[in-house]
Amino acid sequence: MSLKTRLSASPLSFDRDAIAEIFAQLALSAAVAVMRVYDTDSHARSKPDKSPVCDADEYAEAIILEGLATQLPQLPVLAEEAAAHGHKPPCGGSFILVDPVDGTREFLSHNGEFTINIGLILGGVPCAGVVYAPAIDRLWMAGAKAYSCNVKPGMPLPPLEERTPIHVRQPPREGWTALASRSHADAETDAFLAGLPINERRCAGSSLKFCAVAEGGADVYPRFGNTMEWDTAAGDAILRAAGGIVLDAAGLPLRYGKAKEQFKNGPFIAWGDPAIATTPKLSPKTLASLSKASRN
């Protein structure tokens, strides 16, 4: 069956695996521009919200948006840099989220922990996604199932038989592994993890944390600071397809398309094994302040 046949005119009946393949090839193409900037002056500057942006963000986003307009014109696209300039198309429950360089701070520090993220939202749920880490030639993708593979920027996506299926793990009896943000450590994360049987805690940048949990390298990733939907959608899709779950502060699966909140996420916990998933054990006062901060 051709790719064109697999893509229905109705977004809710799209072939998620076919969408993931489109996302993967676009990420690989955008990565060429990203890595070209990585080795030169990236012209870093601050956006109005004080977050960093550089040439790589803008070059990659332009490549991805052009490809999506050609291959998936049926779906609106919410992309980080376009949104920063006020372009937020009506999305409804079905749309695409793009973060052209997730982990710009890591990109600028040259530690390699940055990714290109593209996620599909259907009915408010992340249903397909790609996370590509071009500095380490590693790509994670998911539609109905989740896979990883090694591939260099600009190269064709490896065929299915050369991709490795990934799945979350049951937490080890000797203790769990927790992941935390490298650039956004906070007391709330420390307080939450203190109540769990954590044996090892590691820090990482960008959506690599979702992918580590998805492929069974860690058990939990809490995030209480501000994030946007484009930061999490692709990694969330991969984790869910690998058998995990991402819960919000109310203990419900994280939802997307929160236009009234300007597409901001509140606190969330990414879990490998849903059987151990709990809501954040924080005081109502702390949760209220975190929720208020996410709306501002």
Side-chain angles (χ1 to χ4, degrees), residues 138 147-150 156-165:
R138 189 73 172 167
Y147 301 89
S148 67
C149 61
N150 293 318
L157 177 67
L160 184 61
E161 59 269 20
E162 294 180 18
R163 306 172 202 168
T164 301

Side-chain angles (χ1 to χ4, degrees), residues 262-279:
Q262 297 297 308
F263 302 98
K264 294 180 181 179
N265 294 319
F268 66 82
I269 313 293
W271 297 95
D273 184 356
I276 65 169
T278 63
T279 54

Side-chain angles (χ1 to χ4, degrees), residues 39-60:
D39 296 325
T40 63
D41 183 356
S42 57
H43 299 106
R45 56 262 186 204
S46 293
K47 292 187 283 190
D49 64 0
K50 307 302 181 184
S51 63
V53 64
C54 69
D55 287 350
D57 297 91
E58 296 181 347
Y59 295 164

